[in-house]
Amino acid sequence: MAEFVLDPKLLSDTVHVADLRLSALLLMRDANYPWLILVPRRPDLVEVIDLDAAERTQLMAEVALASEALRQTVACDKLNVAALGNIVRQLHVHVIARRTGDAAWPRPVWGAVPVKPYPPGEAEALAKNLATQLG
Amino acid sequence: MAEFVLDPKLLSDTVHVADLRLSALLLMRDANYPWLILVPRRPDLVEVIDLDAAERTQLMAEVALASEALRQTVACDKLNVAALGNIVRQLHVHVIARRTGDAAWPRPVWGAVPVKPYPPGEAEALAKNLATQLG
């Protein structure tokens, strides 16, 4: 039986925040926007509908948890929630805190502007603050 | 108490497919991609987390229903599911059937290429086929 292995691009682009019941919660290394990614830890998932109904409900609960943690931790005018997967096929859900006037506003973030690296240690510090907010 | 009124831009850009328990299911008038939109029929919603937990579970069930109907009705290599709302603030969820090689592939669809009108009657015919698939 296949085991879950995090996609290498998701691994290299992110900092680990927490393991929720279903998903690994990750912070994108892009200082343009506070940007979380949920990756359900089940092998061979591509679409949201590859999850069964109970897992989909759990994924939605984790989207809500990530959204609340973001809003309590950073400035946020709008949340963007999306499962695209056109490039990285492993099922993952973006939860992004947008600000009016951020680098891509009002466009979607994907491919809009180059990634902006965090200063050393800042992504890890934000990940730790977010993990604390999750309780 | 405020009543739900569909955003005028969502109204003018779409064909009605069905009223699900929570959401109005709409088909975007863009022949580039089979593109559904779910709009929960509750007033004053902006974020997914403005719904309570039971409504979020229902929304997820309706995303799954729309996804399955799309895959049974049209060619589809990947589904894109997203709640953005940076321009139209009324809460709405996109469920889009993507094909490798479609007009925007592999980019997200929003703002990627100009809207392509359906030939007369074709959006309405597709909406009817999708409604039939919903059962």
Side-chain angles (χ1 to χ4, degrees):
Chain A
M1 195 178 123
E3 278 182 32
F4 170 77
V5 180
L6 183 61
D7 176 273
K9 181 160 169 56
L10 291 177
L11 179 63
S12 67
D13 289 351
T14 64
V15 180
H16 186 264
V17 176
D19 277 331
L20 306 179
R21 204 167 84 201
L22 176 63
S23 311
L25 182 63
L26 310 171
L27 174 70
M28 276 285 276
R29 294 182 182 279
D30 186 342
N32 283 307
Y33 339 85
W35 179 344
L36 293 172
I37 296 185
L38 291 157
V39 188
R41 295 190 308 277
R42 302 273 183 278
D44 303 327
L45 298 175
V46 176
E47 304 289 359
V48 171
I49 53 173
D50 293 341
L51 296 166
D52 67 28
E55 291 167 331
R56 288 197 299 265
T57 296
Q58 180 61 25
L59 178 60
M60 181 57 105
E62 295 179 358
V63 165
L65 197 67
S67 299
E68 296 287 6
L70 267 183
R71 286 214 299 199
Q72 287 159 11
T73 308
V74 300
C76 175
D77 298 316
K78 185 72 195 71
L79 291 161
N80 287 175
V81 177
L84 304 179
N86 301 345
I87 293 169
V88 170
R89 281 182 67 82
Q90 182 174 70
L91 177 62
H92 59 289
V93 182
H94 304 269
V95 182
I96 309 159
R98 303 298 305 272
R99 279 161 282 191
T100 56
D102 70 26
W105 187 263
R107 290 169 295 155
V109 300
W110 304 277
V113 299
V115 169
K116 180 179 167 186
Y118 277 99
E122 284 199 13
E124 291 74 10
L126 177 54
K128 198 169 172 182
N129 286 348
L130 287 162
T132 303
Q133 275 299 339
L134 294 169
Chain B
M1 198 179 121
E3 278 183 30
F4 170 77
V5 180
L6 183 61
D7 176 272
K9 181 160 169 56
L10 290 177
L11 179 64
S12 67
D13 288 352
T14 64
V15 181
H16 186 263
V17 176
D19 278 332
L20 307 180
R21 204 167 82 201
L22 175 63
S23 311
L25 182 64
L26 311 170
L27 174 70
M28 275 286 275
R29 294 183 183 278
D30 186 343
N32 283 308
Y33 339 84
W35 179 344
L36 293 172
I37 295 185
L38 291 158
V39 189
R41 294 189 309 278
R42 300 275 184 278
D44 304 326
L45 298 175
V46 175
E47 302 290 0
V48 171
I49 53 173
D50 293 340
L51 296 166
D52 67 27
E55 290 168 331
R56 289 197 298 265
T57 296
Q58 180 61 24
L59 178 60
M60 181 56 105
E62 295 180 358
V63 165
L65 198 66
S67 300
E68 296 287 5
L70 267 182
R71 287 215 298 200
Q72 287 159 11
T73 308
V74 300
C76 175
D77 298 316
K78 185 71 194 72
L79 291 161
N80 287 176
V81 177
L84 303 179
N86 301 345
I87 293 169
V88 171
R89 282 183 67 82
Q90 182 173 70
L91 176 62
H92 59 288
V93 182
H94 305 269
V95 182
I96 309 159
R98 303 297 306 271
R99 279 160 281 191
T100 57
D102 68 28
W105 187 264
R107 289 169 294 154
V109 301
W110 303 279
V113 299
V115 168
K116 180 181 169 186
Y118 277 98
E122 284 200 12
E124 292 74 12
L126 177 54
K128 199 170 172 180
N129 286 348
L130 287 162
T132 304
Q133 275 299 339
L134 294 170

